[in-house]
Amino acid sequence: MQVFKSGECPDIMDDGGWYLFNQKGLFVDLMPFVESEPGLADDLQPGIMRVARKDGNLPGLPIDIALPLMVIHKEMFKKADVPLPSDDWTWDEMIEMAKQLTIRDEDGIATQFGLGIGQDIEEIEPFILRNGGRYLSPDGSTTLGYADSSASIEAMQRVIDAFRVHRVTRKPGEPSKAGDLHEGFAIALGYTWYVGNLIRFGLDGRFQIVRLPRMPRAEEANMIYMGAAGITTKCEHPELAWQFLKHYILERPERFRQTQTLPLTKSLARDSGMTEHPIWAKFIEELDYVQASGFYLNEKWNSSRQLINEEIQRMILNGADVAQTMRSWSRYA
């Protein structure tokens, strides 16, 4: 913001998140440029565009695109004689598998966890969405009727129970001999960057990728991370800036041949080979279901992440009431 207000504002600005692109008056709407390019509007991934155009305009071209799926450690399943899951598995089925796959020593310390998910409001959000819940209203103005809805509370309770009741995933501060996520967790919530590293280091053959489990209310939904690059309203040559953006983001399929992020267009996904890749194809398909997460909709909510996570830890460690806690989150919107 300080750079924009200065006398040396750049023509193009990018951001690893979406905060800048929620600010009114900073960026030109890129849709007229998109519509001037033959076939481009149809080539853009519709799920990504649904989130990027949540306010109607397109303030930036999305970059650093990532989403989560479930990463299955095949050797651990085979050793425990547990059948590998399919894409239509349920949350309850996942928990039952995770119970069979959690191994603890004589002191009760886990040498292997059945499930790996973070104690983080954003890592839990996909399961909230898939149960038909939301943290915030579509305009981001309130949590009332959303974070405190029965669908959101039900999903959060199931996540907390995985830590507190079923003990299949590592609690905050819990001693562990399970090692890193790829070493000692049979089922893990894995984002694009995590899977990209598995592929990069030749470990992907040990794993299978499946969709997130179906929640009781069975909504097809997922979250997405992305930043963007846009043309500032102070740019004196926006057409030239658009040509640069177009080349930088839309015309280099080689960037996605060894990657940790997802491409913005269908043609980039195809030309880079991702649509034919046994792992990346799953992530490309999942883009159809992404929705705007809470941190895109409300900056106060986004900046309150640490405070909310502390309350999640209290639910896990101290048994704080889930419904009561989530009803109190109205102060973060």
Side-chain angles (χ1 to χ4, degrees), residues 210-225:
V210 297
R211 298 193 66 202
L212 274 65
R214 190 169 68 251
M215 300 299 286
R217 307 194 189 198
E219 181 164 328
E220 292 284 11
N222 205 337
M223 61 91 74
I224 186 171
Y225 279 123

Side-chain angles (χ1 to χ4, degrees), residues 14-16 31 51 53 70 76 111 120 129 145 150-151 155 170 180 198 205 212 247 252 268 277 304 308 323:
D14 66 8
D15 187 12
M31 281 310 299
V51 177
R53 297 192 67 196
M70 304 309 292
M76 292 181 183
T111 57
D120 183 276
L129 293 171
S150 59
R170 189 181 181 186
D180 292 332
L198 294 179
L212 274 65
H247 172 71
R252 298 188 297 151
L268 278 173
H277 192 282
S304 301
I308 298 170

Side-chain angles (χ1 to χ4, degrees), residues 6-261:
S6 74
E8 299 179 354
C9 177
D11 293 333
I12 294 172
M13 294 173 64
D14 66 8
D15 187 12
W18 207 256
Y19 167 72
L20 282 180
F21 298 91
N22 281 332
Q23 310 305 308
K24 306 301 180 186
L26 263 68
F27 296 97
V28 303
D29 182 5
L30 297 182
M31 281 310 299
F33 294 107
V34 169
E35 290 164 352
S36 72
E37 302 284 344
L40 179 55
D42 290 335
D43 193 27
L44 294 167
Q45 294 281 3
I48 300 173
M49 293 299 288
R50 184 169 57 246
V51 177
R53 297 192 67 196
K54 62 183 178 61
D55 297 320
N57 63 340
L58 180 63
L61 286 182
I63 56 175
D64 301 332
I65 300 159
L67 57 81
L69 289 173
M70 304 309 292
V71 181
I72 307 301
H73 198 301
K74 295 187 290 187
E75 294 174 10
M76 292 181 183
F77 272 75
K78 183 177 181 180
K79 194 173 293 186
D81 198 26
V82 176
L84 292 170
S86 62
D87 281 330
D88 62 352
W89 63 332
T90 67
W91 176 272
D92 290 342
E93 289 170 343
M94 182 183 74
I95 293 299
E96 288 305 311
M97 292 177 186
K99 289 178 182 177
Q100 298 177 64
L101 291 158
T102 299
I103 302 171
R104 295 181 181 273
D105 65 16
E106 61 277 7
D107 298 317
I109 297 175
T111 57
Q112 177 178 300
F113 283 103
L115 179 62
I117 55 175
Q119 312 109 28
D120 183 276
I121 191 67
E122 293 177 9
E123 290 202 28
I124 296 170
E125 188 168 16
F127 305 110
I128 302 286
L129 293 171
R130 289 180 69 77
N131 203 45
R134 303 289 184 276
Y135 291 143
L136 293 160
S137 59
D139 66 0
S141 63
T142 183
T143 67
L144 296 175
Y146 296 91
D148 59 355
S149 69
S150 59
S152 297
I153 292 169
E154 178 184 38
M156 181 66 76
Q157 185 68 65
R158 286 174 179 259
V159 172
I160 298 302
D161 286 349
F163 287 94
R164 185 172 176 81
V165 178
H166 306 302
R167 301 178 66 227
V168 294
T169 191
R170 189 181 181 186
K171 293 180 182 178
E174 179 182 355
S176 170
K177 297 178 182 177
D180 292 332
L181 193 62
H182 71 282
E183 296 172 320
F185 293 78
I187 305 166
L189 182 72
Y191 285 82
T192 312
W193 54 80
Y194 171 66
V195 173
N197 276 327
L198 294 179
I199 295 171
R200 177 186 175 193
F201 291 105
L203 301 174
D204 49 302
R206 303 179 190 178
F207 298 92
Q208 173 181 315
I209 304 298
V210 297
R211 298 193 66 202
L212 274 65
R214 190 169 68 251
M215 300 299 286
R217 307 194 189 198
E219 181 164 328
E220 292 284 11
N222 205 337
M223 61 91 74
I224 186 171
Y225 279 123
M226 62 187 184
I231 301 170
T232 65
T233 53
K234 293 186 178 182
C235 176
E236 296 181 0
H237 304 285
E239 295 83 5
L240 186 60
W242 165 252
Q243 292 302 319
F244 175 83
L245 269 188
K246 185 177 68 165
H247 172 71
Y248 178 67
I249 297 174
L250 302 176
E251 297 177 348
R252 298 188 297 151
E254 66 276 6
R255 289 189 304 129
F256 297 99
R257 294 194 177 120
Q258 285 188 324
T259 186
Q260 296 179 327
T261 63

